[in-house]
């Protein structure tokens, strides 16, 4: 199937050069070139290209703004950004805008042709330097840890889970009792039952297990799902 391509570049010499290159490829049909962002949007609507190859520097509106507007069309084309800028902000902006492929202007002709064919097929191609930076960024992120499973955790009542969360947040027996409007002896009973069900010896082990089993999350706001008893009520 022939791939219909629109070329957008601020410099006509580059746009014409790309057209000459791509016209020699059997499965690519260049349907137009422009240096104007607004005109590019009109051509997308009237000519329905499969792929738009664009720089980020265009007249009237930027290539990035053109990409964002084109993305809102009923049947938007896939986008190949062909630009000199590979700054982190540029990479982030174009990827969030929905760009399929991102290449530097130092790319070899065959790399551009491959990117256009990949974009037409709904695939993604990134310049090697950009792909390497993304891999380094990914590897620098903390590796998520799966929550441990503990059979006793499923046996905890809603109130016991509530007490565990408060204890894990560092609240004393007195503070838990005051917050839940229950007696301190009742709090101690809940803690004892939780320790028995989970098989832990002390509060330190209880708090550690609470985090590792997902009973409480690292980023959970304090008291996020707490249900307080009415004033004066005694709850077990």
């Amino acid at each position: 199937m022939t791939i219909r391509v629109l070329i957008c570049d601020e410099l006509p010499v580059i746009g014409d050069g790309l057209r000459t290159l791509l016209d020699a490829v059997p499965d690519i049909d260049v349907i137009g070139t422009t240096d104007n962002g607004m005109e590019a949007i009109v051509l997308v609507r009237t000519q329905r290209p499969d792929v738009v190859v664009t720089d980020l520097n265009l007249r009237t509106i930027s290539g990035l703004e053109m990409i964002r507007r084109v993305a809102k069309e009923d049947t938007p084309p896939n986008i190949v950004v062909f630009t000199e800028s590979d700054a982190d902000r540029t990479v982030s902006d174009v990827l969030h805008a929905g760009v399929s492929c991102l290449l530097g202007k130092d790319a070899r002709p065959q790399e551009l042709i491959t990117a256009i064919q990949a974009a037409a097929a709904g695939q993604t191609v990134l310049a090697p330097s950009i792909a390497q930076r993304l891999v380094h960024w990914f590897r620098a992120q903390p590796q998520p840890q799966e929550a441990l499973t503990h059979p006793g955790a499923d046996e905890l009542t809603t109130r016991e889970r509530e007490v565990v969360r408060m204890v894990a947040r560092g609240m004393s027996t007195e503070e838990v009792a005051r917050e839940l409007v229950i007696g301190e002896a009742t709090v101690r009973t809940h803690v004892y039952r939780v320790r028995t069900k989970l098989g832990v010896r002390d509060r330190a082990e209880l708090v550690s297990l609470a985090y590792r089993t997902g009973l409480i999350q690292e980023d959970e706001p304090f008291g996020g799902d707490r249900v307080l008893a009415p004033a004066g009520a005694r709850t077990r």
Side-chain angles (χ1 to χ4, degrees):
M1 183 180 67
T2 301
I3 303 170
R4 294 167 54 79
V5 175
L6 171 65
I7 299 171
C8 308
D9 199 288
E10 185 181 32
L11 299 177
V13 65
I14 294 180
D16 292 342
L18 291 178
R19 179 165 201 157
T20 300
L21 168 68
L22 298 178
D23 275 342
V25 181
D27 65 342
I28 292 179
D29 177 22
V30 178
I31 54 93
T33 62
T34 181
D35 60 357
N36 186 308
M38 292 301 297
E39 184 180 16
I41 295 174
V42 173
L43 288 171
V44 166
R45 291 173 177 171
T46 58
Q47 300 298 318
R48 299 296 182 186
D50 302 304
V51 175
V52 174
V53 178
T54 184
D55 190 4
L56 297 179
N57 295 317
L58 299 176
R59 294 194 302 111
T60 64
I61 61 172
S62 70
L64 182 60
E65 179 61 22
M66 181 270 291
I67 292 168
R68 287 170 174 160
R69 296 190 188 186
V70 164
K72 297 177 182 179
E73 296 293 311
D74 292 336
T75 55
N78 292 305
I79 307 292
V80 175
V81 169
F82 187 59
T83 184
E84 290 180 341
S85 176
D86 66 348
D88 288 348
R89 183 64 185 177
T90 300
V91 174
S92 175
D93 285 344
V94 298
L95 291 181
H96 277 102
V99 168
S100 300
C101 303
L102 176 56
L103 297 178
K105 286 198 172 177
D106 58 350
R108 294 188 297 272
Q110 186 56 49
E111 290 177 328
L112 176 59
I113 294 169
T114 299
I116 292 171
Q117 293 168 335
Q123 300 171 353
T124 299
V125 173
L126 299 176
S129 60
I130 295 171
Q132 186 176 35
R133 292 216 309 272
L134 289 176
V135 169
H136 287 330
W137 173 85
F138 178 80
R139 288 174 176 168
Q141 305 309 302
Q143 186 173 0
Q145 297 182 353
E146 294 184 4
L148 299 176
T149 57
H150 193 292
D154 294 334
E155 300 178 8
L156 300 183
T157 66
T158 300
R159 176 64 85 194
E160 288 168 348
R161 288 173 179 269
E162 195 170 29
V163 171
V164 168
R165 290 188 176 96
M166 293 183 178
V167 170
R169 289 299 184 192
M171 295 178 68
S172 66
T173 299
E174 294 79 4
E175 290 171 329
V176 174
R178 184 167 56 250
E179 192 71 26
L180 297 180
V181 197
I182 59 178
E184 294 179 20
T186 302
V187 175
R188 294 190 183 94
T189 298
H190 284 313
V191 172
Y192 173 78
R193 288 175 178 169
V194 169
R195 286 170 49 191
T196 300
K197 291 178 180 179
L198 298 181
V200 296
R201 293 172 298 177
D202 52 34
R203 286 195 174 204
E205 284 190 11
L206 173 59
V207 172
S208 175
L209 187 62
Y211 279 104
R212 288 186 290 119
T213 58
L215 286 172
I216 185 170
Q217 304 297 323
E218 292 285 355
D219 58 351
E220 179 180 322
F222 177 72
D225 61 352
R226 186 178 308 156
V227 179
L228 299 183
R234 304 278 293 185
T235 307
R236 289 191 175 272

